[in-house]
């Protein structure tokens, strides 16, 4: 007689198992990253495969199909998410470059209309580029920046803060942030919305607020219009605030980890103003000196203020500073998934605004503009202009030239998007002079 025995797979980190989704909408394979015991009940920290890590959660055994539990793979490695951060995602093969990168804007998308041939002189060398070659291959993440790409170890893959209280908002964090361990064991981490100091209890926060002298971020207020204000904070002069800001931001940024030397960075905090003070909405950081022309290191609008146009406002402000500097800029890569969406949307709207507003020049029936001119007008780096045009499928190749054909649907989509964009940066309200940091020694 043969006796069948079931081999029980030990539940360890790295095991894969189907998990019932929180909304009850079916099962999805997940990786087990950790386990703990709560009131005699086993809980498992899981990451849903192919889902963003912000959806990771602790689940009880009842939501796991243990009959389909798979042991860890011997060659298992943490996948690196590269696709979301690549900007040049246009079509692969293209014809060879024309002599000059000329964009002809045609208001109609009819194909039976011949595109005009433009007489052109030989350009300067820097204007003679291939469109595909203009988008550089993905580089390894730099080990500089207010935050740097992190090694995906098991500790940093697990959320360690359940809830934060910031001003009037209680917010559920998305990712790990290295707050002190004695704080992460608390059910709520309390954060002063003015100086960003973190404490372990409501009582401690009340005591702190009675002594806190700040009602706005430290540093200089460089912009104010209506209820929106921007402060520039020097990471060397206001180190404690800058480090606390990085800790807070890390709760909502997955692709980077903290870099505690804030001296080489400036932080631009956006606030909403009311009678109680200045309430932080979001921020971006920027290197004082960037060898690669990055005008943003990290950028974040806090969850309670998302989907209100503040993300685009932060991006628009960063390019307004680049215009003051007389430079073109680009955000530090890799971008998060939400960051990439925000930048794509901003670049698309800004470039379409330029193209739609063009008028024909003397002697030409059709408006003409070069990639370089778009870049200079917007301060958007040339590579980002090209990748955006490719992403929008606006570029066509015709008789030795690259032509941008704007269909009516492009204009309609653009106009609808602009109507939703209620708040914009007013350059007249910006009071800021760029500094030459190379002449300031070690800042």
């Amino acid at each position: 007689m043969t006796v069948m025995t079931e081999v029980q797979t030990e539940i360890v980190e790295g095991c894969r198992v189907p998990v019932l989704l929180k909304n009850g909408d079916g099962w999805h394979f997940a990786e087990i990253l950790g386990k703990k015991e709560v009131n005699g009940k086993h809980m498992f920290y899981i990451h849903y495969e192919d889902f963003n890590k912000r959806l990771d959660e602790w689940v009880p055994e009842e939501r796991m199909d243990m009959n389909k539990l798979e042991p860890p793979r011997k060659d298992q490695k943490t996948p690196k998410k590269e696709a979301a951060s690549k900007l040049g995602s246009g079509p692969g093969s293209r014809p060879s470059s024309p002599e000059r990168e000329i964009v002809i804007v045609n208001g109609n998308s009819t194909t039976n209309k011949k595109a005009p041939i433009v007489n052109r002189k030989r350009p300067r060398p820097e204007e003679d580029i291939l469109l595909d070659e203009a988008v550089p291959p993905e580089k390894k993440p730099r080990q500089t920046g207010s935050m740097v790409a992190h090694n995906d170890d098991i500790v940093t893959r697990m959320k360690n803060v359940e809830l934060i209280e910031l001003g009037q908002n209680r917010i559920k964090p998305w990712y790990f942030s290295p707050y002190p361990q004695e704080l992460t064991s608390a059910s709520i981490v309390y954060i002063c919305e003015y100086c960003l100091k973190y404490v372990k209890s409501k009582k401690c926060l009340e005591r702190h607020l009675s002594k806190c002298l700040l009602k706005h971020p430290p540093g200089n207020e460089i912009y104010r219009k209506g209820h929106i204000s921007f402060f520039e904070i020097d990471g060397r002069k206001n180190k404690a605030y800058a480090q606390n800001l990085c800790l807070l931001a890390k709760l909502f940024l997955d692709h980077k980890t903290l870099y505690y030397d804030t001296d080489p960075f400036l932080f631009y905090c956006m606030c909403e103003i009311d009678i109680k003070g200045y309430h932080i909405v979001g921020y971006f950081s920027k290197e004082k000196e960037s060898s690669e022309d990055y005008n943003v290191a990290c950028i974040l609008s806090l969850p309670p203020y998302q989907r209100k146009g503040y993300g685009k406002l932060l991006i628009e402000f960063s390019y307004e500073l680049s215009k003051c500097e007389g430079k073109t800029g680009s955000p530090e890569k890799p971008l998060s998934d939400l960051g990439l969406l925000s930048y794509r949307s901003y670049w698309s709207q800004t470039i379409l605004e330029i193209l739609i507003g063009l008028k024909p020049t003397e002697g030409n029936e059709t408006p003409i503009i070069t990639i370089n001119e778009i870049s200079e007008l917007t301060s958007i780096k040339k590579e980002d202009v090209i990748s955006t045009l490719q992403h929008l499928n606006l570029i066509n190749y015709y008789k030795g030239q690259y032509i941008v054909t704007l269909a009516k649907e492009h204009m309609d989509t653009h106009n609808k998007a602009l109507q939703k964009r209620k708040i914009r940066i007013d350059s007249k309200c910006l009071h800021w002079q760029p500094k030459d940091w190379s002449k300031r020694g070690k800042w």
Side-chain angles (χ1 to χ4, degrees):
M1 185 176 72
T2 306
V3 178
M4 299 293 290
T5 57
E6 187 179 328
V7 178
Q8 182 74 36
T9 303
E10 187 187 357
I11 305 172
V12 294
E13 292 161 0
C15 283
R16 294 173 72 248
V17 65
V19 177
L20 184 64
L21 296 174
K22 189 182 281 186
N23 57 7
D25 189 19
W27 298 78
H28 194 89
F29 255 103
E31 181 189 353
I32 295 173
L33 301 181
K35 57 184 178 180
K36 66 180 179 181
E37 197 171 303
V38 180
N39 300 326
K41 189 175 184 179
H42 289 294
M43 300 288 287
F44 299 89
Y45 192 86
I46 54 98
H47 166 65
Y48 296 104
E49 293 181 357
D50 302 319
F51 283 15
N52 191 286
K53 278 169 60 178
R54 71 176 74 97
L55 300 174
D56 294 0
E57 58 178 335
W58 288 98
V59 298
E61 201 168 327
E62 300 87 80
R63 280 178 57 192
M64 302 161 70
D65 186 350
M66 291 303 185
N67 293 324
K68 295 180 181 176
L69 182 71
E70 296 178 5
R73 299 174 193 149
K74 289 181 181 178
D75 59 342
Q76 187 172 13
K77 286 185 180 178
T78 304
K80 299 290 180 189
K81 292 186 180 179
E82 294 175 351
S85 65
K86 290 187 179 178
L87 297 179
S89 56
S93 57
R94 292 194 176 274
S96 58
S97 172
E99 281 187 49
R100 186 178 182 184
E101 46 176 34
I102 290 186
V103 175
I104 301 176
V105 182
N106 179 5
N108 299 306
S109 59
T110 51
T111 53
N112 59 353
K113 200 170 186 179
K114 285 189 178 180
I117 303 300
V118 181
N119 293 323
R120 56 192 184 272
K121 296 177 183 177
R122 179 68 187 164
R124 298 190 302 275
E126 63 268 23
E127 290 183 355
D128 189 15
I129 64 169
L130 289 167
L131 276 178
D132 277 349
E133 289 176 359
V135 182
E138 186 71 1
K139 298 177 182 177
K140 286 184 180 179
R142 299 183 316 146
Q143 293 303 305
T144 60
S146 55
M147 297 185 178
V148 295
H150 62 63
N151 296 320
D152 214 357
D153 60 59
I154 207 75
V155 174
T156 61
R157 289 181 72 188
M158 294 171 60
K159 295 175 202 170
N160 59 335
V161 176
E162 286 185 36
L163 204 62
I164 64 165
E165 184 173 296
L166 180 70
Q168 297 299 308
N169 298 299
R170 283 196 172 177
I171 314 168
K172 199 165 186 179
W174 296 350
Y175 307 112
F176 170 89
S177 184
Y179 279 97
Q181 199 161 357
E182 62 270 20
L183 280 183
T184 59
S185 58
S187 56
I188 302 175
V189 173
Y190 295 86
I191 300 173
C192 171
E193 63 176 326
Y194 303 115
C195 72
L196 304 185
K197 180 181 171 66
Y198 45 86
V199 293
K200 63 184 179 182
S201 70
K202 187 80 171 176
K203 198 77 178 169
C204 290
L205 180 65
E206 288 168 359
R207 276 203 305 269
H208 165 77
L209 287 173
S210 68
K211 295 181 284 185
C212 185
L213 301 175
L214 288 180
K215 287 297 175 188
H216 57 73
N220 299 320
E221 187 179 20
I222 60 172
Y223 179 93
R224 189 193 294 188
K225 184 174 184 182
H227 67 294
I228 298 296
S229 175
F230 276 87
F231 284 81
E232 181 184 64
I233 295 110
D234 188 320
R236 183 181 68 84
K237 292 179 182 175
N238 298 286
K239 191 169 289 193
Y241 183 90
Q243 290 183 348
N244 286 343
L245 179 59
C246 288
L247 275 171
L248 173 64
K250 181 61 194 72
L251 292 169
F252 308 102
L253 294 171
D254 172 42
H255 62 299
K256 306 207 175 179
T257 194
L258 285 184
Y259 187 75
Y260 279 101
D261 182 13
T262 58
D263 288 19
F265 296 90
L266 296 166
F267 297 81
Y268 294 89
C269 286
M270 180 167 68
C271 299
E272 276 188 346
I273 310 167
D274 63 19
I275 55 170
K276 291 182 179 178
Y278 295 66
H279 310 283
I280 184 167
V281 165
Y283 89 105
F284 65 89
S285 57
K286 175 179 177 175
E287 288 178 283
K288 292 172 181 174
E289 291 183 277
S290 173
S291 58
E292 299 179 61
D293 292 330
Y294 290 133
N295 63 355
V296 164
C298 284
I299 186 166
L300 172 74
S301 53
L302 290 165
Y305 301 98
Q306 290 176 1
R307 299 185 178 276
K308 295 183 178 181
Y310 286 133
K312 276 201 189 72
L313 204 66
L314 284 164
I315 295 170
E316 188 178 358
F317 193 79
S318 71
Y319 281 106
E320 204 60 51
L321 297 185
S322 293
K323 287 176 187 176
C324 291
E325 293 172 318
K327 296 177 181 177
T328 59
S330 185
E332 186 181 311
K333 315 302 185 300
L335 288 166
S336 66
D337 54 348
L338 296 178
L340 180 62
L341 286 173
S342 297
Y343 268 95
R344 277 270 186 230
S345 179
Y346 173 79
W347 289 331
S348 299
Q349 287 182 20
T350 305
I351 292 167
L352 282 170
E353 208 166 18
I354 295 287
L355 297 180
I356 289 170
L358 281 176
K359 300 287 186 286
T361 53
E362 195 175 333
N364 294 308
E365 293 179 15
T366 311
I368 298 172
I369 190 169
T370 65
I371 298 288
N372 278 346
E373 286 168 344
I374 295 174
S375 183
E376 286 167 12
L377 285 168
T378 60
S379 277
I380 299 171
K381 210 167 177 64
K382 190 190 298 183
E383 292 84 352
D384 297 331
V385 173
I386 293 165
S387 75
T388 302
L389 291 171
Q390 289 176 335
H391 175 74
L392 293 170
N393 291 321
L394 292 180
I395 291 184
N396 300 296
Y397 188 73
Y398 184 84
K399 291 190 177 181
Q401 298 173 83
Y402 283 99
I403 300 168
V404 167
T405 306
L406 285 178
K408 186 176 183 299
E409 63 193 64
H410 288 124
M411 298 183 187
D412 291 344
T413 304
H414 173 70
N415 289 331
K416 281 179 188 173
L418 279 189
Q419 285 170 13
K420 290 180 185 175
R421 204 162 151 192
K422 303 293 185 189
I423 45 175
R424 300 287 295 268
I425 294 298
D426 184 349
S427 58
K428 296 191 291 294
C429 297
L430 175 63
H431 303 287
W432 182 77
Q433 289 292 325
K435 298 180 180 73
D436 186 353
W437 293 98
S438 63
K439 294 179 180 177
R440 292 180 170 240
K442 198 63 181 170
W443 310 298

